[in-house]
Amino acid sequence: MHRSITDRGTLIKIRPRTTHTQISRGRTALICEHNGEVHSEQPIEGLYIYDTRVLRRYAWRLNGTQPEFSCASAVEQFSWMGYFIQAPENCKETPPHECNPLRQTLELRLTRSVGEGMHEDVHLTNHTQITTDVTLELEFEHAFTSQDEAKEGRKQHGKLNLTWSEPEPGVWEQMADYRAEHAYSHQGEEGVAHLHRGIRLRIEHADSPPETADRRLLFRMKLAPHEQWHACLSWIAYRNGERLPLAAQCSRVASSDWNERRARLLSSSASFSVPHAEDLSPLVDQVLERSRLDLADLRLYDLDSPGGVALAAGVPTYIEVFGRDMEAASWQAATVSPQFLRGALHTLSERAATEVNEWRDAQPGRIPHVLHTDPLSELNFRPKSLYYGSVTSCLLLPISASELWHWTGDLDTVRPYIGACKAALAWADQYSLDETGFYRYKTSSEQGVKNQGWKDSEDAIVYPDGSQVEAPIGTCETQAFAYVAKLHFSELLWRLGEIGAARRMFTEAEELKKRFNEKFWMEDEGFCAMGIDSKGELIRSIASDPGHCLLSGIIDESRIARTAARLMREDLFSGWGIRTLSSEHPAFNPFSYHRGSVWPVTTAGFVLGFSRYGLHGEMHRLAKAMFELAGLCEHERLPEVFAGHQRTEAQPFPGMYIRADWPQAWSASAPFLMLQALLGIYPYASAHLLFVDPHLPDWLPEITVEQLRVGDAVATLRFQRNSEGETEWSIADLEGPLHVVRQPSPWSLTAGWAERTRDIVESLLPHRKAG
C-alpha cells in the first residue's frame, strides 16, 4: 500500500533547489537565499539578465548588522517579499529596558519584482515608542559573467566602469558599463566578437538622501515612534547599448504593459474547473492552474511575434531558446493556446541554418538546438549563441506545423513555416539518414553535444553492461520522431495541394516503420532496443525510449500490448513515473539526468500513447502517479526532472534532481497533455470538427474545459463519469462553427470506419447544451 497524498495528516512538500528562492520574468531571474540575500561565494546566486550574472552580492544591513529574518515568500513567479526585524540601538531607553526585537521592533520590509531588470521597494518602520537613529545600508557587487563562469569562480573578461550622478533633484543613479571583446577562430569561423552590457541603479525615491560608493548605498534617518521610511530602487538593464524595458515601478510589481500582455494571454487561453471532492479533483485543478500560470510566466517577451508567444525552457538555468523544449512544450500545451506553437515556429524557422558551419554543427535547413545569450556564448568562446546540435528540433518542427494547422484550420497561418519544415526534413534525410536506413547523429564540432537525440546528456546512451556508446548513434525515439514528422507533415502538404510530395513523404514514413520493426524489436524482451550504435548493432539496454515509439505509432500494432506492459514493469515504472533507464541496469542511478531519473514531459507523452491504443487502465494509473507527484511538490508545480526512487510505504516521496529547473516549460505543459489523453481531445479545425473520446478515472470524475479554441470556435465542454464508469459529455457553451464528435482521433487505432461515419453523422444533429 502507498500512502495517499490526500491524507490530511501528511506534511510532505518537496521541491528542487531547496537552498534557494528564485523569481523570474522574461529574460531575468533572481536567485537568492531564502532571506533574499545574494552572496558572491555562492556561484548560482545573483541577478541574471540575458543569462548574464550582473549582480553577485546583494544584502541589506541595519545599523551595521544583519537584521533577524522573520519570513519571506515569492508572491508570484516574478515577485518576492520579505520581513526582517531588529531592536533599535537605543532600545534600553524605554521599558522593558532590554534589546529584544520582539518587544522593541524595527521592521524592514523588502518587496522585489523582476522583468528585464529588478525593482525593489524598501520600507522601514519604527514599531517602538521611542525616537531612534537608524543607518540602513545596501551592499552590492557587480559581475558580468555567465553561469558557468560563476560556478568556476572566474571573473568577467572585459572592463567595468562605474559612475554616480544626480540627473534630477531627489533622484540618484549609478551606471555600471561593461564592455568586452574577443578575437576567436574555431574550425573555420573567425572574427572579433563584442559584448556591451550595463546595469543602472536608479534611486527613484528615498525619504532621505543616500551616501554613495561604488558598491554600497547608505541611508541615515531619524524615525519617530511608528514612523515609516520608504525608498524605491530600480536596476535597469542595458544590452548592446539598448535600454531594456523594466517591468515594475515604485510600489507596483508590474507595469501596465507587462500586466496587460500577460492578462491577454491568460484570458484567451483555455482554463479548467472541477467540483470540490474528496478525490484528486481539487489537486488536478490546482496543478492545471499552476501550470497555466507558469507557461504565461515563462514567456520571452522580446521574442513575441504576431499571434505567437515564445517560451523559455526553464528557470533558473535555461531562460533561453531551446529548440526541442520550445517545440515539445508548445505541442503539449496546444489545448491551452495555439499561440505557443506559433511562437515556436516563428522563433525557430527564422533562425534555421543556411550554410555549413562545423563549429556550430550547422548545415542548411537545420533547426537550432540552443540560442544562449551569456557572455561566453556571445563572445564566441563557445558556439552556443547559435548552436544546431540536435536532430530532435528538426523533426519536431514539421510536427509543430501540423499541430498548429489542426488547431487553427488556417493554411495561411502555417504557410510561412512550410519552407523551413521542408528544409528541416531535407536536412534529416541528407545529413542524419545513413546507409543503415535509420537516422543517426554525430557532432562535427570540437565543442559539440555528443548525444543529439531526445536524451542529450553526455552519458545518457549506454550498453547493457553499463559502458558508454560512441557516436554515430541512432536512438529508437529518433526514428519515431522522423516517422511522425513525415506522416503528419504529409497530411499538411496534401491540404496545401502538394499531392506528389505528400504521397512521397507518406510512403517514406511507412517504409521507415517497416524497417524499424524489422530491426529494433527485441522479441526476447518484448520491447524495442534503445538504439543502434556506430556499427549498426542494437543497443539492447532497457530504457524509457521505446515509450516515444509507442506514442508515435511506429511500433507494429501486434506488439503494443507487450510494449505497454514492459513500460509499466517495476524496474521502469517507479510508482511516480517512467524511469529513463531500468533500475536493473548496471548504469542505473536515480539521481542522474538520464540514467534512472523520471521526466514529467516523457511520462505525459506515454499517457497519451496509452490513450492512443485504448489502454485506459495504464493511462489512468500513469496519469494519477504524475498528478500525485505534483501534489507532493511545493506550489503543486512539477519539476524538470526528479529522482527515480521506487514508491513504497517506507519511501513516500522520491528524491529531487538538485539542479532541476522549476518552473520548466515542458513540465508545466505535461499536465495538459495528460488531460488531453484522458478526454481524447483532438481537433480538425479546417473541417470545424473536434474529436472527443473521454475516459475519466474514478479519481477525476468530472471536469469542465472552458474557452477551448478550435479554429474560429470557442467551446466550453463538460465531462462527467456516471455510475457505470462511463464518461458522458455535453456542450456547456459554444461560439462559432464546430461539430463535436465522440470518437477516437484519426491517429488512434481503436475505432473502425463504420463507427467513425456513424459518429460524424450523429454530430451533425443538434447537440444538447449542458445546464
Side-chain angles (χ1 to χ4, degrees), residues 356-426:
V356 174
N357 184 317
E358 291 188 351
W359 187 53
R360 298 186 185 277
D361 265 334
Q363 299 90 26
R366 200 167 192 183
I367 300 301
H369 177 46
V370 293
L371 281 78
H372 279 297
T373 57
D374 66 280
L376 282 181
S377 298
E378 292 209 340
L379 287 170
N380 286 332
F381 283 95
R382 58 188 184 187
K384 291 185 178 180
S385 63
L386 188 57
Y387 178 67
Y388 293 89
S390 171
V391 180
T392 310
S393 57
C394 292
L395 300 176
L396 293 186
L397 194 77
I399 297 172
S400 299
S402 172
E403 285 295 298
L404 180 61
W405 173 71
H406 271 276
W407 282 99
T408 64
D410 186 358
L411 290 175
D412 288 336
T413 296
V414 299
R415 206 181 303 273
Y417 314 120
I418 297 301
C421 292
K422 289 180 179 179
L425 287 173

Side-chain angles (χ1 to χ4, degrees), residues 561 564-565 568 606-607 610 614-624:
M568 295 301 287
F606 304 161
V607 171
F610 291 148
L615 300 171
H616 300 134
E618 292 87 344
M619 173 180 73
H620 291 165
R621 186 180 175 197
L622 193 53
K624 182 181 183 183

Side-chain angles (χ1 to χ4, degrees), residues 13 22 40 59 143 159 238 246 259 278 298 350 377 404 456 475 482 489 547 560 630 661 744 752 764:
K13 279 296 174 186
Q22 58 193 39
S40 57
K159 294 182 179 180
Y238 291 77
L246 185 61
N259 268 345
E278 293 299 317
L298 285 165
E350 68 176 16
S377 298
L404 180 61
D456 59 352
T475 58
F489 195 60
I560 293 300
D661 270 22
L764 299 177

Side-chain angles (χ1 to χ4, degrees), residues 573-635:
F573 177 48
S574 72
W576 302 111
I578 303 299
R579 295 184 179 95
T580 46
L581 188 67
S582 166
S583 61
E584 298 172 355
H585 196 284
F588 170 73
N589 176 355
F591 286 103
S592 69
Y593 206 50
H594 284 127
R595 289 185 290 107
S597 57
V598 176
W599 289 70
V601 59
T602 54
T603 297
F606 304 161
V607 171
L608 183 61
F610 291 148
S611 172
R612 174 189 175 95
Y613 293 99
L615 300 171
H616 300 134
E618 292 87 344
M619 173 180 73
H620 291 165
R621 186 180 175 197
L622 193 53
K624 182 181 183 183
M626 191 52 56
F627 278 112
E628 287 182 321
L629 187 279
L632 297 182
C633 293
E634 195 174 301
H635 311 316

